[in-house]
Amino acid sequence: MRWDAQALERGDAPDASSADSPAATALLPLAGLVRSVSTPEFAGITFHEVTAKSVLNKVVAGSRMPFDWTINPYRGCSHACVYCFARKSHTYLDFDAGLDFDSQVVVKINAAEVLRRELAKPSWQHEHVALGTNTDPYQRAEGRYQLMPGIIGALADSGTPLSILTKGTLLARDIPLLKHAAAQVPVGVGISLAMTNEQLSEAVEPGTPGPRARLKLISRLREAGLPCGVMAMPILPWLSDSDEALDSLFGALAAAGATGVTAGALYLKPGTREWFMQWIAREHPQLAGKYRRLYGGGSYASKEYRAWLAGRVRYFKDLHGLSGSQGFSHQDLNGNKAHSADPGGDHNAGHNASHNDDAREEEAQYPAGSIPDTAGHANFRHAGRPSREHANGSHSNANYPAAAQPTLF
């Protein structure tokens, strides 16, 4: 009742158009808008409940993603990550890519019902469907709307492989459901975690469960017999790319039992770039000029920086026993591409050699465990943890081979 009492119904709420209404600017002409809700439980956030006509999204032709279909039950994300690459997508709804992305969240309240209808069509080929590719399906609002159980159930019941990528520890609620789904179809699970520094995490991803909570989630998933790949992205230049930070990160991921890890540097596409650069100028003004030089006018850090970072990441993955079980998202120091993130090695093998200098290739690298293993599903479900001799933190005082960050950055 408390939630309903906060609703601003279009056409029913007499003050909905008032400039004093907290959601006055939120009642935009969104397709299928049912109502907008603003509640003290989610201070500063307005939820726009919509009825969707379709929830299965076809990935753009020619994409290097290892899947062709996605579902995004939410648009916008209260995790408020300053680096989120999906920010510009909010402008398609006439919201801005900055504060609106964090505070104006669109909820497809009929997602599971519509999905079941779409999956029941004779034309559906039961291809892998990925969740969490744009905004997080386990952001805080999922605790209220509980859309994911219906979505997972619909996919599994239809015989459709699925994968989930999230920062949200709400995923733990659905571990029993995911175990049941994994007995029916191939399932991949990925956690996004790129730092162990709790203070830095709170600063750059303020609405997200902290690193310790996500590490516990990785362990819970593995103990449940589920795969869990980790997207260690973004590594932030001068903030989380030191030897100490990388050693802590990969040691913790190994200890938690991650089935694979893909790491990569901060990616600043338009929409994200402007918001992040404002944050850097405000919070770390001494780094603002360095970031402008490192990224120039583009979305990617310089090739030299990415090659340097690749070498450091490879070293610490080797140190903690994480080598050989997953791909790496950047060129190595010798200019060679790492193997495909897919354990079968097939998704990206066709263009690794021909796109060695193409930074976009990084976007297609997903760690082992995060993509359904349609060829050998049982291998993921029974995969063992990395050796504890590599995962017990004993390398915290290791002598790192000299590899200073290039001075031009």
Side-chain angles (χ1 to χ4, degrees):
M1 291 298 296
R2 182 180 180 185
W3 188 272
D4 290 339
Q6 305 300 323
L8 294 173
E9 310 278 356
R10 178 151 63 171
D12 292 338
D15 63 344
S17 60
S18 168
D20 297 327
S21 169
T25 59
L27 294 173
L28 300 175
L30 294 170
L33 179 64
V34 175
R35 64 177 185 173
S36 294
V37 180
S38 181
T39 172
E41 182 183 354
F42 293 87
I45 301 174
T46 300
F47 298 99
H48 307 286
E49 299 176 356
V50 303
T51 53
K53 293 183 179 179
S54 174
V55 295
L56 279 171
N57 308 305
K58 188 77 168 73
V59 175
V60 176
S63 167
R64 296 191 178 110
M65 295 298 99
F67 43 77
D68 292 324
W69 297 92
T70 66
I71 296 174
N72 292 295
Y74 301 93
R75 300 285 298 273
C77 187
S78 61
H79 282 167
C81 303
V82 296
Y83 54 74
C84 182
F85 71 90
R87 286 184 171 277
K88 189 174 182 179
S89 67
H90 226 41
T91 63
Y92 308 152
L93 304 176
D94 290 328
F95 291 119
D96 69 50
L99 186 59
D100 281 355
F101 182 84
D102 303 336
S103 63
Q104 305 292 327
V105 178
V106 177
V107 186
K108 301 174 185 178
I109 56 176
N110 63 337
E113 175 187 351
V114 172
L115 177 61
R116 284 193 178 273
R117 290 202 300 265
E118 292 182 298
L119 297 174
K121 293 179 179 179
S123 59
W124 178 243
Q125 297 297 307
H126 305 90
E127 299 176 71
H128 165 210
V129 174
L131 295 110
T133 61
N134 193 52
T135 55
D136 203 310
Y138 283 102
Q139 58 183 285
R140 282 185 60 215
E142 173 59 17
R144 159 68 193 185
Y145 287 103
Q146 300 186 43
L147 300 179
M148 287 298 288
I151 292 171
I152 293 169
L155 291 167
D157 291 346
S158 72
T160 299
L162 67 123
S163 65
I164 297 169
L165 177 63
T166 183
K167 291 186 179 79
T169 52
L170 272 168
L171 174 67
R173 178 200 66 194
D174 292 342
I175 286 178
L177 182 58
L178 285 169
K179 288 181 66 176
H180 180 71
Q184 300 172 270
V185 297
V187 170
V189 182
I191 301 298
S192 178
L193 178 58
M195 63 194 74
T196 57
N197 185 311
E198 297 281 339
Q199 290 71 38
L200 179 60
S201 175
E202 185 176 355
V204 299
E205 42 193 31
T208 302
R212 284 191 297 268
R214 278 177 273 170
L215 287 167
K216 290 179 181 178
L217 176 60
I218 295 169
S219 293
R220 290 189 62 181
L221 287 162
R222 299 297 292 121
E223 289 162 3
L226 291 164
C228 185
V230 174
M231 296 288 279
M233 298 180 180
I235 304 297
L236 303 173
W238 298 287
L239 293 175
S240 64
D241 64 351
S242 69
D243 280 351
E244 292 76 13
L246 295 174
D247 182 43
S248 175
L249 174 63
F250 291 109
L253 295 179
T259 50
V261 183
T262 293
L266 174 68
Y267 171 49
L268 293 176
K269 67 186 297 184
T272 301
R273 179 189 179 91
E274 295 80 3
W275 189 248
F276 181 85
M277 288 300 194
Q278 288 178 27
W279 180 84
I280 278 287
R282 183 176 67 250
E283 301 296 330
H284 298 278
Q286 75 281 8
L287 296 180
K290 291 184 176 181
Y291 269 88
R292 286 193 296 270
R293 291 190 293 274
L294 183 62
Y295 283 83
S299 300
Y300 294 93
S302 71
K303 179 180 177 182
E304 184 179 4
Y305 176 86
R306 297 198 315 271
W308 172 83
L309 180 61
R312 304 316 296 148
V313 167
R314 187 170 56 253
Y315 171 76
F316 287 109
K317 284 168 71 172
D318 288 346
L319 186 64
H320 292 288
L322 287 168
S323 299
S325 62
Q326 64 285 316
F328 180 70
S329 66
H330 294 300
Q331 286 180 305
D332 64 27
L333 292 175
N334 296 319
N336 299 315
K337 272 292 185 180
H339 296 298
S340 165
D342 177 72
D346 296 328
H347 281 307
N348 300 299
H351 46 74
N352 278 350
S354 60
H355 290 277
N356 280 349
D357 296 326
D358 187 353
R360 288 185 59 201
E361 181 74 13
E362 299 161 9
E363 301 173 40
Q365 301 291 337
Y366 275 63
S370 65
I371 297 297
D373 181 12
T374 55
H377 182 41
N379 292 337
F380 272 152
R381 292 172 60 197
H382 301 291
R385 291 169 176 252
S387 170
R388 286 290 175 179
E389 66 181 355
H390 296 291
N392 61 10
S394 61
H395 299 290
S396 58
N397 296 316
N399 293 319
Y400 310 118
Q405 194 179 58
T407 56
L408 64 89
F409 299 126

